[in-house]
Amino acid sequence: MTALLDAAPGTATAASGIRFEGVSVAYGTHTVLDGLDLTVEPGEVMALLGPSGSGKTTALRAVAGFVTPVSGRVLIGGRDVTGLPPYKRGIGMVVQSYALFPHMRVADNVAFGLKARKAPRAEIAARVAEALELTGMAGYARRYPRELSGGQQQRVAIARALAIRPGVLLLDEPLSALDAQLRSGMLAELARLHRELPDVSILYVTHDQVEALTLADRIAVMDRARLRDCGTPRELYRAPRTEFTASFVGNANLLPVTAGPGGSTVTFAGTELTVRGTAGVARGAAATLCVRPHLVGLGEGPNALRGRLTELQWRGATHRLYAEVAGHRVMADVRELRTAPAVGDEVTLHFAAEDAVLLPAGAGADG
């Protein structure tokens, strides 16, 4: 299983690490990627997270060589590859549809890239075996894609990408075609592959926040062709810097508030709330208070918010409550309630000061 990591001379894994330097891509007058500056360190998993049309897939395609920037440079392993064709970039790629050849057996699919590079026959056989073992598909070499499940086909696509010993692995929504149970299992498999291939840089495009939070060392949040935020999953979830990040990386209550005196209070709809700090927000200035739903409790407590229950969802281990508070919707995720309030009931929600993040009003807007 470690043979892919300990390659023989002349067959070593390609250079790793990716750097975008002011990369812009446009189709006619429409800019789809705007001045991207981003570095993926060697051995790092970077998730590009954002809604459809945010530019994340365009960024990945610029690394792959499938689109040409109108400005800026793409570097892989410190080498400028902006003008190189895809086959000279030392990358492996797995796309949403897997793109397996239906008339080829699994082993031949995995060998395809090696044959295109005119690798020696003995080397091809060894690398195919290594890649199939690494992805848990060693027993399926003689099967055709139609004889495999969706999860197995995805493993074959990953094995094909790894067989060429890339320095960079590009994954474009690789789990979107799988059902929820298979996605969960493949997330664990991708995490294992990352541990097995510590020198390979992985650029992972997804719109699924769970995938990004689970797999990535860092997450780059994209919106409307631009990079909006970048940080570790913990940083972006616990201390988002923009409203867009707060709402896209996990669920969030975003409440309009006014900063009060003393540096630790804000006012929401006439109610004074205590927060962990208002540094950088002037007294009397408008701001946004971010509180994650699972940090909101039901019943009396600090920072009490009183409102009317508008919706109640049972989610197995938890209940999701939606309450209208002073014209704003507030979400709370609480442990399954033995006696739940009814829609229309008056409820009190609360949160601790240390669980609230204050954002300048409009943080993350264009400009």
Side-chain angles (χ1 to χ4, degrees):
M1 185 173 291
T2 60
L4 284 170
L5 309 180
D6 303 322
T11 62
T13 299
S16 187
I18 307 166
R19 189 161 79 249
F20 297 87
E21 294 184 349
V23 175
S24 294
V25 176
Y27 300 121
T29 60
H30 180 53
T31 298
V32 293
L33 188 64
D34 191 2
L36 178 60
D37 288 299
L38 184 67
T39 297
V40 184
E41 301 292 346
E44 181 178 36
V45 178
M46 174 73 79
L48 296 181
L49 178 67
S52 297
S54 61
K56 57 187 187 296
T57 295
T58 300
L60 180 138
R61 289 172 61 83
V63 177
F66 298 150
V67 297
T68 302
V70 295
S71 62
R73 302 193 305 163
V74 177
L75 295 91
I76 295 177
R79 179 178 63 139
D80 187 348
V81 299
T82 311
L84 291 181
Y87 66 91
K88 290 188 176 181
R89 297 192 178 202
I91 59 171
M93 187 169 181
V94 179
V95 297
Q96 182 176 340
S97 63
Y98 314 141
L100 299 177
F101 297 108
H103 63 287
M104 291 184 181
R105 298 183 190 271
V106 164
D108 293 323
N109 267 283
V110 175
F112 182 82
L114 294 167
K115 290 179 179 178
R117 288 164 173 77
K118 302 189 186 308
R121 181 175 298 181
E123 184 179 317
I124 290 175
R127 288 216 216 167
V128 168
E130 292 162 4
L132 289 176
E133 182 184 356
L134 187 64
T135 54
M137 293 297 292
Y140 297 84
R142 298 293 298 165
R143 295 196 185 185
Y144 289 97
R146 64 177 178 272
E147 299 174 312
L148 305 176
S149 68
Q152 290 169 335
Q153 289 182 40
Q154 195 228 36
R155 290 170 188 248
V156 174
I158 293 173
R160 179 175 60 188
L162 294 177
I164 64 170
R165 294 190 178 129
V168 167
L169 180 61
L170 307 178
L171 301 175
D172 187 9
E173 301 275 11
L175 307 185
S176 61
L178 304 180
D179 61 37
Q181 186 172 358
L182 277 176
R183 275 201 305 273
S184 178
M186 284 309 305
L187 279 173
E189 287 300 311
L190 288 173
R192 180 186 62 79
L193 278 174
H194 181 216
R195 294 191 297 271
E196 294 283 347
L197 302 168
D199 296 325
V200 176
S201 298
I202 300 176
L203 191 62
Y204 189 103
V205 165
T206 182
H207 65 276
D208 189 302
Q209 57 187 258
V210 174
E211 291 179 20
L213 291 169
T214 300
L215 283 177
D217 297 310
R218 286 191 298 151
I219 299 172
V221 182
M222 307 285 294
D223 182 42
R224 289 173 289 178
R226 295 185 182 179
L227 176 66
R228 300 296 176 179
D229 212 340
C230 186
T232 68
R234 187 178 297 268
E235 288 169 347
L236 297 184
Y237 188 82
R238 292 190 171 181
R241 292 182 285 272
T242 69
E243 291 182 23
F244 181 81
T245 299
S247 61
F248 204 83
V249 182
N251 293 311
N253 293 299
L254 298 173
L255 306 177
V257 297
T258 302
S264 61
T265 63
V266 297
T267 301
F268 166 66
T271 300
E272 186 176 274
L273 305 173
T274 302
V275 297
R276 61 186 177 187
T278 59
V281 182
R283 177 179 177 178
T288 300
L289 192 67
C290 170
V291 186
R292 298 294 183 184
H294 74 281
L295 299 174
V296 179
L298 176 65
E300 295 294 337
N303 291 327
L305 301 173
R306 292 175 173 81
R308 182 178 59 85
L309 188 67
T310 59
E311 188 176 351
L312 180 69
Q313 298 176 352
W314 178 71
R315 299 188 172 191
T318 63
H319 273 99
R320 163 69 64 86
L321 286 73
Y322 294 90
E324 182 179 331
V325 180
H328 298 275
R329 188 177 74 163
V330 178
M331 298 177 287
D333 290 333
V334 298
R335 292 183 62 182
E336 184 182 12
L337 299 166
R338 293 184 182 276
T339 304
V343 171
D345 284 355
E346 297 297 318
V347 294
T348 299
L349 305 175
H350 67 272
F351 61 89
E354 58 268 25
D355 293 331
V357 177
L358 194 66
L359 304 172
D366 247 338

